[in-house]
Amino acid sequence: MPKNNKIYWLEGVTDKGVKSLLSNDSKSYRWLRPQRNRRILVTLMAIGLVLTALGSYYSAIKKSLNLSSNLDFTILVISTVFVVASVIGGYLLLRISVRGIADAPDELLDERQLKIRNASFRIAYLWCSFLVMVVFLLLAYGPELRLFRPEVANEQVADGSFLMISVMFTISSLPSMVLAWREGDI
């Protein structure tokens, strides 16, 4: 890697990567730039994140839908792969649509971009506090969850890893989601 490509470890980006996103006006990504398309992408991301979190409550959903044991595992695997791949792909498209402003370090942004990014971070922080409150309520009043433990036949405890993964995806993508939703022209 050339020496002039500084790595920003805290943000997880490189100098060249951020500069290419900020200055990229290629035709292949132009369809992502209008606010309407960015809002559609944010809505799809939110649905994908909720579906990812619902994976932790799959055993309760399975009981209410009366799925057979042969069919339920296949449905779980296929839907999990599809939803997680969609969320990751959606996040990458979301970063491109907002030109990576939410992930860029201060020194690579101008004053207007800094102001927009900081306002988006404030709103994302407020939404994260609501998200944490909802997660605590789910843990307190919902079915019992344990992290990274598959459901055992004798126990009625669900695997909480999907909820944790969804929360991590949400926290990492929420600043870009807020930025994509609020800003007219990026």
Side-chain angles (χ1 to χ4, degrees):
M1 186 177 293
K3 289 185 179 185
N4 60 354
N5 191 16
K6 183 177 177 182
I7 299 173
Y8 297 92
W9 293 103
L10 184 63
E11 292 86 359
V13 296
T14 63
D15 188 31
K16 285 185 179 180
V18 171
K19 287 179 181 176
S20 72
L21 277 176
L22 289 172
S23 63
N24 190 356
D25 279 333
S26 72
K27 291 180 182 180
S28 58
Y29 298 120
R30 196 170 287 162
W31 65 275
L32 286 171
R33 304 284 190 238
Q35 186 178 26
R36 178 179 170 269
N37 293 350
R38 286 184 281 129
R39 285 186 173 183
I40 291 170
L41 188 59
V42 168
T43 304
L44 292 175
M45 276 285 296
I47 291 169
L49 292 168
V50 168
L51 289 175
T52 303
L54 286 177
S56 289
Y57 298 101
Y58 182 72
S59 58
I61 294 170
K62 179 178 72 172
K63 284 181 186 176
S64 66
L65 294 178
N66 293 327
L67 295 176
S68 68
S69 61
N70 295 336
L71 184 62
D72 68 342
F73 184 72
T74 306
I75 291 172
L76 177 65
V77 169
I78 291 172
S79 60
T80 300
V81 168
F82 177 73
V83 168
V84 172
S86 299
V87 168
I88 292 171
Y91 175 67
L92 295 174
L93 289 174
L94 191 64
R95 280 193 70 220
I96 292 169
S97 74
V98 296
R99 299 181 185 270
I101 292 174
D103 301 323
D106 290 350
E107 63 192 65
L108 298 179
L109 299 175
D110 61 24
E111 293 170 1
R112 177 187 161 274
Q113 291 168 333
L114 278 172
K115 186 176 177 181
I116 291 169
R117 191 220 31 212
N118 292 341
S120 296
F121 263 90
R122 181 183 178 281
I123 294 169
Y125 174 76
L126 292 172
W127 278 100
C128 280
S129 65
F130 290 120
L131 174 71
V132 168
M133 183 179 64
V134 168
V135 169
F136 283 150
L137 289 173
L138 283 173
L139 293 175
Y141 297 109
E144 185 180 352
L145 296 176
R146 291 192 187 154
L147 293 178
F148 303 112
R149 275 190 71 179
E151 185 179 338
V152 181
N154 315 14
E155 295 183 34
Q156 295 301 322
V157 179
D159 182 16
S161 59
F162 290 108
L163 183 63
M164 187 178 81
I165 290 167
S166 178
V167 168
M168 290 189 313
F169 277 146
T170 303
I171 289 171
S172 66
S173 64
L174 202 53
S176 293
M177 290 171 74
V178 170
L179 187 63
W181 190 270
R182 290 184 70 218
E183 287 305 308
D185 293 327
I186 295 182

